[in-house]
Amino acid sequence: MADFYRKALKKIKKLDAEQNRELLISAVSEINLLENVFNSIDVGILVCDKSNKLVMINKYAQRLLPMNDTDGMQVWAAVDDERIAEFLKETLLNRDRVMDKEIDIIHQGRNRLLLINILPLVQDRKINGSLVYIDDITEKRQDESRLRRAENLASLTTLAAGVAHEIKNPLGSISIHLQLMQKSLAKKNVSDPKIKKYFNVLNEEVERLNRIVVDFLFAVRPVNLELREGDINKIISQMMEFVAIEMKRSKILCLLELDENVPKIILDERLIKQALLNLVKNAQAAMPKGGVMTIATKLADNEIKISVCDTGGGISRDNLKKIFEPYFTTAESGTGLGLTQVYKIIREHKGEITVDSALEGGTEFKITLPVPQKETRMIPYKE
């Protein structure tokens, strides 16, 4: 089509007014088509000239990136994100070609992972600028993480169940014989404080190992759900009453923002309560000097959305990728199976769990549980 217009321009002086008008209408139509294609592509595209000024940007890129006023500005000045702006400036000034650069940003209150490619813009075998391609790979990486977690759990199942049983049996035997030894010493009136102290340590360690084995078995075994109709708001309220005194001691202010329109759904109340309690305990551990924890529910798009948000120190971006993996923990004590259990419980309920966090910016766990269609019809209509 470009060749057609080049030829037409050479003959433009020979064309009458009507022919020029038709040529202009055709050109405008072609430009509109190209603009529609440009703005319909689901990859962000930024076009820069030789001096790195932004001359074109499609709508997808504007949705992905925080932007300043773009008129006549160099591309790094037009992007309102310090890390991306610095990367673009360094790369474009050095005339580098970059493929598959990953940069994470917080845009519109959400953590996003962007994939950036920078290529030369070639015209008539000469470099006349640069093309910047930006893709949002957040969901892709989340899907990969979910698949990796599922594979990790699957690979553990066969071996782990057998090993855990082999550990649990001698632990039971050790515990019984410790009790027999204590009774035997008591009958002989042996009351040496050191011996008592040693037995207390042994009993505590046996109990700790037993808890680890129980958690491990839960993580690798299939979950047997006992499904009944339940009220998620009621479950949360009861759980928070249970931990209220402990939270007060920890100087944590607990806020509940429960949507009264959330319907009852079919769930295993015991397991859902366990999952939520694990998240609450995590939030408590993240705020050793106190803070604010907010638990909210909301009905949206035939789904119940639950969030557990704290004002703690947050989680690094590297750790966020591994947060639900078995045995991953940043705590000095703990098995690293707590969040694995939460993930498993939510997935068994056909739900999803994600986490948003930033260092010194707090953490928010988001749970989504589906509402069966028949339940959505039971929600009262309000004018």
Side-chain angles (χ1 to χ4, degrees):
M1 205 65 189
D3 288 339
F4 168 77
Y5 288 114
R6 288 193 191 99
K7 292 176 181 178
L9 285 173
K10 291 178 181 178
K11 299 178 180 179
I12 196 166
K13 293 181 179 179
K14 299 179 181 179
L15 302 178
D16 58 30
E18 183 59 27
Q19 288 175 319
N20 280 326
R21 181 175 176 276
E22 289 178 0
L23 180 64
L24 183 59
I25 290 173
S26 176
V28 170
S29 178
E30 287 294 321
I31 291 170
N32 285 336
L33 176 61
L34 291 174
E35 284 185 349
N36 288 334
V37 171
F38 186 62
N39 287 317
S40 298
I41 296 173
D42 61 353
V43 173
I45 302 175
L46 295 86
V47 182
C48 310
D49 63 15
K50 287 183 179 179
S51 60
N52 298 314
K53 289 182 179 179
L54 184 63
V55 293
M56 292 179 70
I57 178 171
N58 70 346
K59 290 182 178 179
Y60 195 82
Q62 290 174 328
R63 288 198 296 269
L64 288 180
L65 294 175
M67 302 296 295
N68 296 313
D69 182 10
T70 59
D71 289 343
M73 298 180 69
Q74 290 178 308
V75 63
W76 52 81
V79 177
D80 189 19
D81 181 272
E82 186 175 344
R83 292 178 64 204
I84 293 180
E86 186 63 31
F87 165 71
L88 291 175
K89 183 177 182 180
E90 181 180 351
T91 304
L92 292 172
L93 289 179
N94 291 331
R95 303 293 180 186
D96 291 336
R97 178 191 181 106
V98 174
M99 299 297 292
D100 298 336
K101 172 70 175 180
E102 294 185 9
I103 299 181
D104 46 22
I105 67 169
I106 298 177
H107 183 38
Q108 297 176 345
R110 298 182 64 189
N111 286 310
R112 313 304 299 174
L113 182 61
L114 304 182
L115 186 71
I116 302 178
N117 294 312
I118 299 179
L119 301 171
L121 176 63
V122 179
Q123 185 178 9
D124 298 327
R125 298 183 180 182
K126 295 180 180 178
I127 296 177
N128 284 328
S130 302
L131 292 174
V132 181
Y133 297 91
I134 301 177
D135 196 8
D136 184 349
I137 60 171
T138 309
E139 292 185 6
K140 180 182 177 182
R141 288 291 181 266
Q142 288 175 347
D143 289 341
E144 290 173 354
S145 295
R146 280 194 286 267
L147 179 60
R148 187 170 62 252
R149 287 195 292 270
E151 290 173 345
N152 287 341
L153 285 173
S155 64
L156 281 171
T157 300
T158 304
L159 175 64
V163 172
H165 277 297
E166 289 300 318
I167 295 172
K168 194 170 178 61
N169 290 337
L171 272 180
S173 178
I174 291 170
S175 180
I176 291 170
H177 283 82
L178 281 174
Q179 293 174 34
L180 292 174
M181 289 170 66
Q182 285 177 289
K183 288 180 181 178
S184 178
L185 291 173
K187 287 179 181 179
K188 295 179 180 181
N189 294 320
V190 177
S191 58
D192 188 332
K194 287 186 178 180
I195 294 177
K196 184 178 180 181
K197 179 182 177 181
Y198 299 152
F199 271 111
N200 287 339
V201 171
L202 288 170
N203 284 320
E204 286 175 5
E205 290 303 301
V206 168
E207 180 60 28
R208 186 172 71 86
L209 284 171
N210 192 57
R211 285 198 303 270
I212 291 173
V213 172
V214 169
D215 287 347
F216 185 74
L217 283 171
F218 181 88
V220 299
R221 278 178 173 169
V223 176
N224 294 319
L225 298 179
E226 297 180 8
L227 297 173
R228 295 184 181 86
E229 188 178 72
D231 184 338
I232 196 69
N233 284 346
K234 185 177 179 181
I235 291 172
I236 292 171
S237 297
Q238 290 175 345
M239 179 191 66
M240 293 313 296
E241 287 178 10
F242 175 72
V243 300
I245 295 175
E246 188 177 350
M247 293 296 149
K248 189 174 181 180
R249 285 201 198 106
S250 300
K251 298 180 181 178
I252 294 174
L253 175 63
C254 298
L255 302 177
L256 296 183
E257 299 175 359
L258 307 180
D259 184 352
E260 62 180 13
N261 290 322
V262 168
K264 292 182 179 180
I265 58 173
I266 303 300
L267 50 75
D268 186 314
E269 183 172 325
R270 178 181 62 86
L271 291 178
I272 288 292
K273 190 176 289 185
Q274 179 183 335
L276 291 171
L277 188 59
N278 279 357
L279 295 181
V280 167
K281 292 291 186 181
N282 267 27
Q284 182 184 9
M287 299 182 286
K289 297 181 181 180
V292 179
M293 177 171 58
T294 305
I295 302 181
T297 61
K298 184 179 180 181
L299 179 65
D301 301 325
N302 296 334
E303 293 176 331
I304 295 176
K305 299 183 183 296
I306 307 166
S307 71
V308 180
C309 187
D310 67 60
T311 57
I315 305 167
S316 71
R317 299 191 186 281
D318 288 338
N319 288 342
L320 272 178
K321 302 172 185 176
K322 302 175 282 186
I323 197 73
F324 294 111
E325 293 181 3
Y327 302 110
F328 176 76
T329 179
T330 57
E332 293 181 1
S333 61
T335 62
L337 290 171
L339 287 176
T340 303
Q341 292 177 2
V342 174
Y343 176 81
K344 188 171 184 178
I345 290 169
I346 299 305
R347 291 296 292 159
E348 289 290 338
H349 282 81
K350 312 298 182 187
E352 296 285 347
I353 179 168
T354 58
V355 57
D356 283 334
S357 186
L359 286 176
E360 307 305 325
T363 300
E364 182 179 14
F365 284 91
K366 299 175 182 178
I367 295 172
T368 301
L369 296 174
V371 178
Q373 191 61 37
K374 65 177 183 179
E375 291 291 351
T376 62
R377 289 197 292 267
M378 292 171 62
I379 301 171
Y381 173 74
K382 293 185 178 180
E383 293 186 0

